[in-house]
Amino acid sequence: MKEIILAKNGEIALKGLNRRRFEEVLMRNIKWRLRDFGKVKISCMQSTIYIDPEDSEFYDFDGAIEALRHVFGIASISRAIVLQKDMEDILEHVCDYIENALFDAKTFKVEAKRSDKQFPLKSPEIAAQVGGKILSRFHRLKVDVHNPDITVMVEIRDKGAYIHAGSIPGAGGMPVSSSGEAMILISGGIDSPVAAYMMAKRGLSLSAVHFQSPPYTSERALEKVETLCEKLTPYTGRIQFYCVPFTEMQEALKAHCPEELFTVMMRRMMMRVATRLAQQKEIEALITGESLAQVASQTLEALHCTDSATPLVVLRPLIGMDKGEIIKISREIGTFETSILPYEDCCTVFTPRHPATHPKLSALEKAEAMFDYGPLIDRAVEGTELKPITG
Amino acid sequence: MEIYLDNCATTKVCPEAAEAAMKAMVEDYGNPSSLHRMGLRAERILTGTRKAAAALLGCDYGCIYLTGGATDSNNIAIQGAVRARARMGKTIVTTTVEHPSVGETVSMLEKSGYTVKRVAPRANGQFDPEDFLEAVDADTVLLTFMMVNNELGTILPYEKVVPALKKRFPDLLIHIDGVQGFTKLPFHPERLGVDLFSFSGHKLYAPKGIGGLYIRKGLRILPVEYGGGQEKAIRPGTEAVPAIAGLGAALTMIKAHQSEIMRNYRERQNQVRSLVKEIPGVVINSPENGCPHIINLSVPGIPSEVMLHALEEKSVYVSSGSACSKGALSGVLKAFHLPDERIRSALRVSFSRETTGEEIEAFAQALKEVTDRLGAVVNG
């Protein structure tokens, strides 16, 4: 018996003339995500992507479906058996195929969909015949059309008939890279990986930039951030990871800027370095994990000061979320455990005791004029190392 | 040049041990429990290692049980001892400066109903033997404490405490965690009256994952785990023959070179003490009369972790007393009454048999440079 995976398109099914382009991006993403599972043929028809393994007998369907659950752009996923568009063939195989799925069920219903209108039976008739066959084989089962334990789907499509015992929800959203590319400022905390996940869900492919300052931060802190990126790749695909040497900058800020402005000034320097890196790659937006009022550098005034340091669009998907809501997503996407490891990205040597909560842009600009930070930004950009993280 | 001065964390395996472990993996790979010749060959390796440990402790080799490391030994000793003495009392005496493998095990027993008394160092950072005598009473079933403190090198007064308490309470069980002291100080469990003594392989040039427990002849303790009866059912599970072979070879090497190894530790410690005197801001936390392979120092104002990573940039590897990131200060250093500023900046430097004078000079030079640089950032 030949099996395949059907992935139903989500939001992109609603697109107009561009639909084909979105579908192609999605198919490319699926191909990349399933690259380690063996050869498959991938095609798209009627807003459904068909994933057809060359060797369906030994294909790791569970693993592949788990991988597909993380691919943005997919609304639902089902594993189905492929049959002839022939009622006899369908009735012969349906019971064997769904026997395991029905093992623990008390009630079921059959739903039929006939997108091939040439098929001689109408949907209700198909459902009735298949339902009758199941009842005659499994006497303990009852039909419940409102609240069944299992829904058996029979789909008569252009290329064949497909039977499956229900579908699982996909990740939703838009296919990664269908909306362009952005660069996430990633620290190692709980928030930035969640922000990255959320923007990938809206179709952005990602680069990540991390600022490290040895010996004030350890190699383990860097490793932690790389692990976070790795954990995001099932959702985001490959991440270009930029690691910026930032020690010299932090030491200069500590020596030359007013203590209470340290954090906001550091954020502005980070934005400047990130902007330079992004522009080299024609990346149009930055992403941060900031949430309004969470800490001193995330007040309205502080955000204004940070924004003023870059001409790029700054996306802040967490801006209106509570910490609890952010943590919930972080647990769901599996980054939480790594984020709470104790290796910190900024040493207590630098963090001001009383950071300014309402910094004025003019005060910052005046403080920045006291020292020539330009060469330090240049050196940070030049010293940046790129490492693609494929997961 | 890599300068590894974190030998209290673990040591480089000596060539003799690596070779013995390799041989046990590819030649004598039988299961010691097998009845055939291959099994016998593996069993002989176990016996050889027991004899090597027994030679260093002056005991019968039948008293040496091989375990998965010192945490394993400490758990078996403590849990096994109190369970064997379950009806004789409900009090355990320990100290405030134990390694977690003792501290946490005792705390678990405390939660399950035991009374735990913890002897603390006096204000001068030294233990007073009288405090142990005062803590132990007729209800005490177990006294468990370390031979040498792993952060400072402080030697605990077992020489006085053990014989005195054994005289007063012959049924009291005494366990010594010997991880940092074994082979570095003379120790004879039978002469002292110690019932249980733990040691670890990887602090002594043997591979990781292997340790030992001395159990006084005739003493029966109850096992923590159950299985196929290996190690007289005290530590069941197929023996880690390669690591055990390595342990035997390492202990034999130490026995053959003990005095030169000890001389090297002492010389290196003296060298550190005199060199850091020249570096302003550095203070020594270890006692003068501590175990020679450890010296703990602080540069108040510079967090341990930053200092550690700055030294790492110069390929010098030491240990920090505490993790600064979460702001929690080392409980052990606090128990020794060290001021907070010193605890936050504490560094542990520990030597191996191979640590050279040039390495210590390079360490002192690196420490000076790093202290100057970081001092300017922190205070500037």
Side-chain angles (χ1 to χ4, degrees):
Chain A
M1 286 196 296
K2 170 124 188 101
E3 285 186 280
I4 63 164
I5 300 171
L6 302 173
K8 306 274 167 75
N9 297 351
E11 213 175 313
I12 61 174
L14 307 172
K15 299 284 169 196
L17 293 173
N18 285 332
R19 199 177 73 198
R20 190 65 206 163
R21 187 176 73 80
F22 287 109
E23 287 173 349
E24 268 159 17
V25 173
L26 179 54
M27 283 194 286
R28 202 167 61 226
N29 292 351
I30 287 174
K31 192 173 172 196
W32 167 253
R33 238 55 79 73
L34 297 182
R35 66 194 183 281
D36 293 334
F37 288 92
K39 267 197 162 165
V40 289
K41 261 193 288 184
I42 297 173
S43 53
C44 182
M45 268 168 296
Q46 299 163 298
S47 289
T48 297
I49 290 174
Y50 292 70
I51 296 141
D52 184 356
E54 201 164 79
D55 183 356
S56 90
E57 198 183 341
F58 294 105
Y59 193 72
D60 176 9
F61 278 93
D62 292 334
I65 287 171
E66 186 52 29
L68 288 171
R69 277 193 343 111
H70 298 95
V71 176
F72 293 124
I74 297 174
S76 69
I77 307 158
S78 23
R79 171 179 178 172
I81 183 175
V82 188
L83 297 170
Q84 307 279 320
K85 281 195 284 185
D86 169 53
M87 227 29 223
E88 256 179 54
D89 196 34
I90 294 170
L91 293 175
E92 190 190 328
H93 289 107
V94 64
C95 289
D96 286 344
Y97 185 62
I98 59 168
E99 188 174 358
N100 286 346
L102 288 172
F103 166 69
D104 196 28
K106 291 192 175 66
T107 59
F108 78 106
K109 76 168 174 180
V110 178
E111 255 180 44
K113 256 197 218 158
R114 185 186 60 142
S115 52
D116 171 13
K117 303 296 178 194
Q118 308 291 318
F119 195 75
L121 297 181
K122 288 191 178 141
S123 297
E125 296 164 343
I126 302 170
Q129 285 197 20
V130 172
K133 181 82 184 175
I134 293 172
L135 281 172
S136 69
R137 166 88 170 263
F138 306 104
H139 299 295
R140 63 194 161 78
L141 286 177
K142 286 200 173 74
V143 173
D144 180 347
V145 292
H146 301 294
N147 226 341
D149 292 337
I150 296 286
T151 301
V152 178
M153 288 291 306
V154 182
E155 303 190 35
I156 311 293
R157 289 168 164 264
D158 290 351
K159 281 215 169 154
Y162 305 90
I163 294 176
H164 59 85
S167 51
I168 58 163
M174 295 291 293
V176 163
S177 95
S178 67
S179 308
E181 183 171 357
M183 182 177 270
I184 171 91
L185 280 76
I186 190 159
S187 62
I190 294 166
D191 301 345
S192 40
V194 174
Y197 159 84
M198 288 178 71
M199 293 325 298
K201 186 169 185 175
R202 295 314 301 159
L204 288 173
S205 67
L206 297 180
S207 289
V209 57
H210 176 70
F211 297 85
Q212 64 157 349
S213 45
Y216 304 99
T217 59
S218 75
E219 244 176 84
R220 281 198 171 82
L222 176 62
E223 177 119 341
K224 172 183 170 184
V225 178
E226 287 183 22
T227 304
L228 285 170
C229 287
E230 222 174 270
K231 290 193 164 191
L232 285 169
T233 54
Y235 298 98
T236 62
R238 186 193 354 238
I239 293 176
Q240 300 287 359
F241 181 71
Y242 294 86
C243 187
V244 181
F246 213 53
T247 309
E248 194 191 18
M249 178 65 85
Q250 285 196 333
E251 288 178 346
L253 287 168
K254 167 95 181 162
H256 301 289
C257 93
E259 187 187 322
E260 71 279 8
L261 295 181
F262 178 89
T263 311
V264 184
M265 269 182 70
M266 182 180 73
R267 305 268 323 156
R268 281 166 62 84
M269 297 303 167
M270 287 176 171
M271 293 306 255
R272 290 186 175 116
V273 174
T275 302
R276 290 264 296 272
L277 294 170
Q279 284 171 338
Q280 284 174 7
K281 299 282 170 192
E282 296 179 9
I283 295 170
E284 294 152 89
L286 301 179
I287 305 169
T288 72
E290 287 156 319
S291 158
L292 188 65
Q294 194 186 91
V295 292
S297 66
Q298 298 177 15
T299 62
L300 221 43
E301 292 88 342
L303 293 177
H304 170 62
C305 293
T306 324
D307 265 359
S308 309
T310 177
L312 299 179
V313 178
V314 181
L315 302 169
R316 294 188 174 89
L318 311 186
I319 197 71
M321 291 172 74
D322 292 349
K323 197 75 187 181
E325 295 168 314
I326 299 168
I327 288 174
K328 187 164 174 278
I329 299 176
S330 159
R331 285 185 192 278
E332 281 165 11
I333 64 177
T335 53
F336 184 74
E337 295 300 320
T338 306
S339 289
I340 59 171
L341 292 175
Y343 318 110
E344 297 198 350
D345 61 314
C346 188
C347 179
T348 47
V349 166
F350 296 112
T351 45
R353 275 155 293 184
H354 304 290
T357 47
H358 302 284
K360 293 245 173 347
L361 186 56
S362 56
L364 280 161
E365 281 166 350
K366 212 170 116 193
E368 284 171 8
M370 308 278 282
F371 182 80
D372 185 8
Y373 292 98
L376 274 64
I377 293 174
D378 291 344
R379 282 199 290 274
V381 172
E382 284 156 21
T384 296
E385 283 179 28
L386 169 63
K387 181 176 175 185
I389 294 180
T390 51
Chain B
M1 184 172 56
E2 308 253 293
I3 301 176
Y4 185 79
L5 297 174
D6 197 10
N7 292 282
C8 277
T10 196
T11 56
K12 176 169 142 187
V13 171
C14 65
E16 296 90 330
E19 208 175 295
M22 182 71 172
K23 186 164 175 285
M25 283 188 276
V26 298
E27 286 178 34
D28 304 325
Y29 52 81
N31 185 326
S33 299
S34 293
L35 298 180
H36 47 65
R37 190 184 307 140
M38 290 295 281
L40 178 62
R41 267 160 61 183
E43 197 190 321
R44 283 197 182 122
I45 293 176
L46 311 186
T47 307
T49 298
R50 283 189 235 281
K51 285 180 176 166
L56 283 156
L57 287 169
C59 68
D60 189 302
Y61 75 85
C63 297
I64 305 294
Y65 295 72
L66 299 163
T67 70
T71 292
D72 206 16
S73 298
N74 286 340
N75 269 274
I76 295 169
I78 295 169
Q79 296 189 50
V82 298
R83 289 177 61 201
R85 290 282 190 273
R87 270 170 295 201
M88 298 173 72
K90 287 294 252 179
T91 301
I92 299 167
V93 175
T94 183
T95 78
T96 54
V97 302
E98 295 303 315
H99 183 271
S101 58
V102 168
E104 292 293 311
T105 307
V106 168
S107 295
M108 179 275 290
L109 291 166
E110 190 172 26
K111 279 184 203 126
S112 76
Y114 280 86
T115 301
V116 174
K117 294 188 202 161
R118 295 179 178 82
V119 178
R122 294 287 181 96
N124 64 359
Q126 299 284 339
F127 279 93
D128 189 326
E130 288 294 334
D131 295 342
F132 287 88
L133 302 195
E134 204 158 289
V136 174
D137 59 19
D139 188 55
T140 308
V141 287
L142 175 70
L143 167 63
T144 172
F145 65 102
M146 56 180 25
M147 189 174 170
V148 170
N149 180 261
N150 54 313
E151 295 198 36
L152 291 179
T154 309
I155 300 168
L156 275 74
Y158 55 88
E159 290 271 10
K160 292 197 176 85
V161 169
V162 176
L165 280 172
K166 271 291 176 177
K167 209 157 69 188
R168 291 188 199 185
F169 304 102
D171 283 336
L172 170 73
L173 291 180
I174 299 182
H175 166 243
I176 304 275
D177 171 4
V179 170
Q180 296 297 350
F182 181 42
T183 75
K184 283 152 187 151
L185 297 169
F187 190 82
H188 196 290
E190 275 171 29
R191 179 180 60 76
L192 281 175
V194 168
D195 299 286
L196 299 147
F197 178 79
S198 308
F199 61 93
S200 165
H202 73 107
K203 317 277 191 195
L204 300 170
Y205 316 106
K208 290 154 188 69
I210 187 69
L213 177 64
Y214 159 88
I215 303 180
R216 193 226 324 139
K217 209 178 219 170
L219 172 62
R220 271 204 51 199
I221 63 169
L222 292 175
V224 176
E225 292 183 316
Y226 296 85
Q230 292 90 342
E231 297 300 296
K232 298 179 206 157
I234 289 298
R235 210 286 182 174
T238 298
E239 301 86 346
V241 182
I244 291 169
L247 175 62
L251 293 177
T252 304
M253 179 279 291
I254 291 174
K255 176 84 180 158
H257 301 280
Q258 208 165 8
S259 58
E260 42 194 291
I261 295 173
M262 286 310 298
R263 196 175 316 122
N264 194 52
Y265 293 149
R266 206 162 289 126
E267 280 172 13
R268 300 293 80 87
Q269 168 155 166
N270 290 339
Q271 199 187 352
V272 170
R273 282 183 185 270
S274 75
L275 285 172
V276 301
K277 262 190 215 139
E278 314 296 318
I279 309 173
V282 179
V283 286
I284 299 220
N285 300 320
S286 293
E288 292 275 353
N289 59 355
C291 204
H293 68 303
I294 305 177
I295 185 157
N296 192 301
L297 44 86
S298 291
V299 188
I302 305 175
S304 302
E305 259 187 70
V306 175
M307 197 66 167
L308 179 153
H309 292 307
L311 289 169
E312 178 186 14
E313 286 181 342
K314 297 178 180 295
S315 297
V316 174
Y317 305 103
V318 300
S319 164
S320 63
S322 59
C324 83
S325 47
K326 287 294 165 205
L329 296 178
S330 158
V332 168
L333 293 181
K334 215 166 167 60
F336 276 109
H337 309 291
L338 244 54
D340 287 0
E341 244 331 291
R342 280 210 203 179
I343 298 174
R344 265 192 280 275
S345 56
L347 294 176
R348 183 186 66 187
V349 180
S350 47
F351 319 114
S352 89
R353 66 195 178 107
E354 294 176 317
T355 306
T356 63
E358 294 81 68
E359 287 179 316
I360 296 303
E361 276 167 28
F363 157 72
Q365 180 60 31
L367 184 69
K368 184 177 174 353
E369 287 168 20
V370 166
T371 303
D372 285 350
R373 177 191 155 199
L374 296 177
V377 173
V378 170
N379 306 317

